[in-house]
Amino acid sequence: MVALDNARVVGEVEAVTSCDLLLTGAELVATVDADRREINGGWVAIGDGLVAAVGGPGDAPPEASEVLRAEGCLVTPGLINTHHHIYQNLTRAYRPAVNGSLFEWLTTLYPQWARLDEEAAYVSAWIGLAELALGGCTTTTDHLYVHPRHGGDLITAEITAARELGLRFHPTRGSMSLSEKDGGLPPDSVVQDDEEILADSERLVAQHHDPAWGAMVRVALAPCSPFSVTSGLMRATAELAERLDVRLHTHLAEDPDEDTFADKAFGMRTIDHFEAVGWMTDRSWVAHCIYPNAGEIARLGAAGVGVAHCPSSNMMIGGGGMAPVHELRAAGAPVGLGCDGSASTDCASMWLEARGALLLGRMRKGPQSMGARDALEIATRGSAGCLGREGELGVLATGAAGDLVCWPLEGIPFAGALSDPVEAWLRCGPVAARHTVVAGQVVVRDGRLAAPGEEDMLRRHRAISARIQAM
Ligand SMILES: [Zn+2]
């Protein structure tokens, strides 16, 4: 219920007379809008799921059906997670795999993941999405690339969990088609043939994808990686995405082993192969992209390929590789943030990833190269760019999605941080969300999930994890 008087078009505070939710009392509202406005004592009004108005202490806020107080808080747009494998929270910190290389870690875990079914996908998604919401994430992608035979409709199961919790969700239909016997990495039990993958991708888009402004569910297509799918599937998926007008996602240049593999399998570097199969377009966003050379960075930027930067994952994989975030952004590539995992980094806090981006950026290029505002921008506007939703997500501006987070900058961790709440947000802490709001709905209130059933869901998660991890 909202009286907007075309406020989305006009963009005037005074045009809004009532709204559904008014967030007020904040110490600072960092809008991350086109002018990067930061409003001391600001407020945000949300109606019909969209931001109806943003104002300061001098502006009279509209009447609201519900008022949410944010004293002592920094308010930011909701953080957007552009890369994740939620089902992997069923095998977090799995002892036999923790010290392996990327390829060793994967081959250890594929047999466990082959036990996935609808119940496991639903419960792991519920827990994983809840963890993200508690950490200030309002939109997340998920890259589910293991579809065991007879496993059921795993992605629809995940979408059910997202709807229950109220998160904005971009599941990607992952796939693997190149098994060990054909020179790939995964075992036969978790790969599918190209026709089956493409048909199921098309079915999921028809069933769930919503292209409308403010959509809660969008589906993207996501062959797993160069070493687990055929070139033919990469090409056919790009063509299907074009026809259905959906986005493309995959892993790219995550590990030096990948170039060795690509050289042997395709006779070229992995990013050359990515281009050769029709993916070098602004429809694509890729995870990691740690090892592009200077020429490849320029090509990725010129094409507008998005990059999901996953700081904790970069460090956990080890070997010293760090995504060239500074250079990719300078080249024009939208760079967003991802928590990856769950079993590679085991923790899904977008605050932690934003802090990781801050630290890794400064470690690579010095203190001038990355501040908390850059990290916030990557986690919001940059991530929205990866998802093709610039101006709609990741910004607190009239007409954008009503997604925001209240971060309490209080207590011992923030004592003495008086002069810059945005820098304090990432330099101090750790901090989680006090309130997380998605489309004007409060999904985390006072640090607790609004949806019921957390204890029951944790019990179910434990039982499923034990089944999947059984030797
Ligand atoms: Zn990944």
Side-chain angles (χ1 to χ4, degrees), residues 13 23 26-45 51 53-56 59 73-80 373 376-382 384 391-398 400-405 407 421-422 425:
V13 168
L23 184 289
E27 182 179 338
L28 183 78
V29 174
T31 64
V32 203
D33 69 4
D35 302 322
R36 307 299 190 272
R37 281 189 306 157
E38 295 182 359
I39 308 169
N40 285 304
W43 53 261
V44 182
V51 174
V54 180
D59 308 307
C73 289
L74 168 70
V75 175
T76 68
L79 306 190
I80 301 168
R373 285 172 179 78
L376 174 61
E377 187 161 321
I378 289 169
T380 54
R381 293 179 75 95
E392 181 189 3
L393 303 183
V395 56
L396 294 174
T398 304
D403 301 356
L404 57 80
V405 184
W407 306 94
V422 179
W425 169 62

Side-chain angles (χ1 to χ4, degrees), residues 299-317:
R299 281 154 58 203
L300 290 163
V305 174
V307 173
H309 176 40
C310 304
S312 296
S313 176
N314 284 189
M315 290 184 274
M316 195 64 91
I317 284 175

Side-chain angles (χ1 to χ4, degrees), residues 84-89 124-125 128-129 132 141-142 158 169 341-342:
H84 202 1
H85 312 287
I86 295 178
Y87 73 92
Q88 293 176 5
N89 65 22
S124 62
L129 293 164
L132 286 163
T141 62
D142 187 49
E158 290 194 280
F169 192 37
S342 301

Side-chain angles (χ1 to χ4, degrees), residues 83 85 143 251 254 287-288 340-341:
H83 188 61
H85 312 287
H143 190 180
H251 293 93
E254 180 177 6
H288 306 296
D340 201 10

